[in-house]
Amino acid sequence: MKIQLVQPSVEFNEELHRYSIGEKRLLGITGLIHTVLHLGEYADASDYVRSVAIPRAAEYGHAVHKAIELYDDISIKVTSYPNSFGAEPWDVSRELESYISHRRGFKPLANEYTVTDGEKWASNIDNVWLRESTNGVWLVDTKTNNLNYYPLDGYGQSGYFTDRTDALKEYLSWQLSVYAELFEAQNPGIKVEGLASNWLRRGDAAFWVIERKPSEQVKELLNTVWSIDDEGAVRYHHPNPPAIVPTLAMPPAPMAGTQLVSDAVVGLITENLRRAADAEENLKRLKEELRTAMDRHGIKSWKTDTFTATIAADAERATFDSKAFKADHADIYDKYVSKKTVKGAFTLKLK
């Protein structure tokens, strides 16, 4: 079944980053989340950070987004972009390769897809993907933040978070949940299956499945009203902000059978476990076939354009029987044993 997305009559001025329908101006979601929830807000940023570091980061992020958009649209890799802050152009080849890896199992439906309520809000969703195994729609945001400096504040409280990745994920949870609410209203009959984020920064990358906020909380956030003063500054007014602020108390331990993560997360884990099991079995069979061929021809090392296969010489291995040693020398065994705490293993097994 081919999915047709509704295209709203919203005009987007990329230079000013402004949305409008005719003469009516609409606001994006970023400012709403910054101002009302105080998430991702660099409140104490210096003049240098505001005038140089943030614009430089924005230009780098724009280069990454442009490379992704071109690859999704016409399957070409353009990874060099003008750099206003240095002599060398932005090279986003590593970021694009990470994105391509993250996109496996999905098909791109749209880039920079605009969603709006037609009255107050509009935003562009970085990526709309179709998950091939379920034919479900996923909304995906790409971030290039330097996590060493991402703000830990949130909900009007300094130092609310202890981990910068958690702080960014909470921001993403609100951002993508708002997008999902607007997307489903704009496209009746299409339910968003999952939310995710590509974090791409130089050679580092991560793909995060993001939890969706309850619809009633998202709608309450969207009840925020805004106005523009005589100097052109946007003022936000929320009728009841405490209602959307979660408590700082730790949640109770889940009872047996509680669903700890969304169905989307469970589905992705299951899908990847199956792929890994199939790949391991296939690789084992192919390795045996290759070794047999090398043994038959007396070849100890064989190189291709993509890998090297080597058969090492047979060797004698010495092992230490600690159990027998303890039985024979219990009086001195503890003297030669060092102990340290090892984090418990985490195991995933297919049923």
Side-chain angles (χ1 to χ4, degrees), residues 31 79 81 100 133 136 161 185 191 224 226 265 270 315 338:
T79 58
Y81 292 86
I100 294 170
S133 62
F161 297 95
K191 180 71 176 174
T224 302
W226 56 267
V265 175
T270 303
S338 60

Side-chain angles (χ1 to χ4, degrees), residues 14 56-69 81 144:
E14 188 170 0
R56 182 172 57 197
E59 186 175 278
Y60 160 64
H62 180 75
V64 173
H65 282 78
K66 200 65 183 173
I68 289 172
E69 187 174 357
Y81 292 86
T144 57

Side-chain angles (χ1 to χ4, degrees), residues 30 34 40-63 83-85 90 144-146 149-151 201-202:
T30 299
H34 286 339
E41 187 180 34
Y42 294 80
D44 299 325
S46 65
D47 290 341
Y48 171 79
V49 170
R50 293 187 184 280
S51 62
V52 178
I54 291 179
R56 182 172 57 197
E59 186 175 278
Y60 160 64
H62 180 75
N83 181 354
S84 303
F85 300 88
W90 294 113
T144 57
N145 302 75
N146 185 339
Y149 301 105
Y150 195 79
R201 186 166 184 85
R202 310 294 191 262

Side-chain angles (χ1 to χ4, degrees), residues 93-150:
S93 54
R94 289 177 293 178
E95 292 86 340
L96 181 59
E97 291 305 320
S98 294
Y99 170 81
I100 294 170
S101 175
H102 294 172
R103 210 194 71 182
R104 287 176 187 150
F106 295 88
K107 288 182 179 178
L109 289 179
N111 279 270
E112 300 299 326
Y113 176 67
T114 304
V115 289
T116 181
D117 63 354
E119 294 295 329
K120 294 190 297 183
W121 312 108
S123 272
N124 288 340
I125 304 173
D126 288 344
N127 307 101
V128 181
W129 287 353
L130 186 71
R131 188 178 170 200
E132 294 176 312
S133 62
T134 62
N135 208 43
V137 169
W138 283 60
L139 308 185
V140 184
D141 193 81
T142 296
K143 296 297 185 192
T144 57
N145 302 75
N146 185 339
L147 292 179
N148 292 324
Y149 301 105
Y150 195 79

